[in-house]
Amino acid sequence: MRFTIDRVGIEYTVDGSRTGIPVIFIHGFPFSKEMWKPQVDALGREYYIVTYDIRGHGASDVGDGQYSLEFFVDDLIALLDHLKISRAVAIGLSMGGYIALRAIERHPDRFRGLVLCDTKSEADNNEGKIRRATQMKTVKTESIQQFAECFLKNVFYEKTFTTNPIAVELIRKTIEASQPIAIAGTLLALAARTDTTASLYTIKVPTLILVGQHDAIAPPSAAHSMKDKIPNATLHTIAHAAHMSNLENSEEFNKHLLQFLKSLKG
Ligand code: MLT
């Protein structure tokens, strides 16, 4: 299904039951809603499940390729409005977590729970901004395949390449299908995002934090730092996983996710 905001078409899918607790999955960069398949399957019919492609990603429109994390938050809220969902559980991985954290800072009344996966509240430091510039150069002047190759090595645990090649190929194909202008635009948006650390203390909803044991992009130390600041947070480390913990160890990831969602039912 598709809806339009500011002349940009956003592709989304709804699964499960409309009478269940609404949960909205927000993917990482530069992936698509397809990355959530093991979670959508695990949640079954008990929840009202929404997955969508962030602008510039998957089957959503690229638009002019000039993005801000603020636009990504606007799109998320517009999608909730479009679906007439007043309060959802937001589940965000990495960039999806940055979006969820900024969304709850701007619109605290629209969320009833938060799941922060392989993400962090800190903005990019100088080194991070410079790394984004190098990545932008690679997609603009070399090839998306080259960008994908480097990216895969950073996001997957080395053993996953042999234990779960299907997950690696899914992400490779998703990246390779992306438009360079969208990747470059998102890199700029990521480099310019705000730091949400100060707002962690004000999060009132139950929060689950999941992090791959070997995640080097949003490491366990960043996850623990968020847990120390969010008043009602629990944290689990996912074994045998790096940055793509939901794909690399779906079983353990889903166990904690389902437990958390069940606890929200009261
Ligand atoms: C992601 O997985 O969303 C990205 O790796 C996040 C980032 O580069 O900061």
Side-chain angles (χ1 to χ4, degrees), residues 81-192:
D81 289 345
H82 174 73
L83 296 170
K84 300 192 173 34
I85 294 173
S86 55
R87 287 174 81 226
V89 179
I91 304 174
L93 184 134
S94 198
M95 175 176 75
Y98 308 156
I99 295 169
L101 283 169
R102 181 64 182 132
I104 201 164
E105 188 177 27
R106 283 176 50 189
H107 304 275
D109 52 329
R110 301 302 300 267
F111 299 97
R112 59 196 290 174
L114 210 51
V115 183
L116 302 170
C117 324
D118 299 284
T119 193
K120 57 191 171 195
S121 58
E122 292 86 13
D124 283 7
N125 58 19
N126 285 350
E127 196 189 339
K129 289 183 210 282
I130 292 165
R131 197 170 341 104
R132 305 264 188 223
T134 308
Q135 290 177 319
M136 284 173 73
K137 207 170 243 180
T138 305
V139 286
K140 279 162 165 288
T141 61
E142 297 181 30
S143 69
I144 204 102
Q145 285 77 10
Q146 191 161 331
F147 171 81
E149 200 54 44
C150 292
F151 208 86
L152 293 173
K153 286 196 192 106
N154 289 335
V155 296
F156 283 106
Y157 177 40
E158 58 194 34
K159 295 203 172 136
T160 303
F161 287 87
T162 41
T163 56
N164 195 348
I166 293 175
V168 177
E169 284 318 300
L170 168 76
I171 296 300
R172 183 197 302 280
K173 283 202 182 92
T174 309
I175 300 176
E176 289 183 354
S178 308
Q179 293 199 29
I181 190 181
I183 298 215
T186 309
L187 284 164
L188 265 186
L190 290 172

Side-chain angles (χ1 to χ4, degrees), residues 3-21:
F3 90 109
T4 301
I5 168 168
D6 300 336
R7 296 187 292 278
V8 174
I10 301 288
E11 191 74 19
Y12 69 93
T13 303
V14 292
D15 286 282
S17 156
R18 299 227 170 197
T19 56
I21 293 180

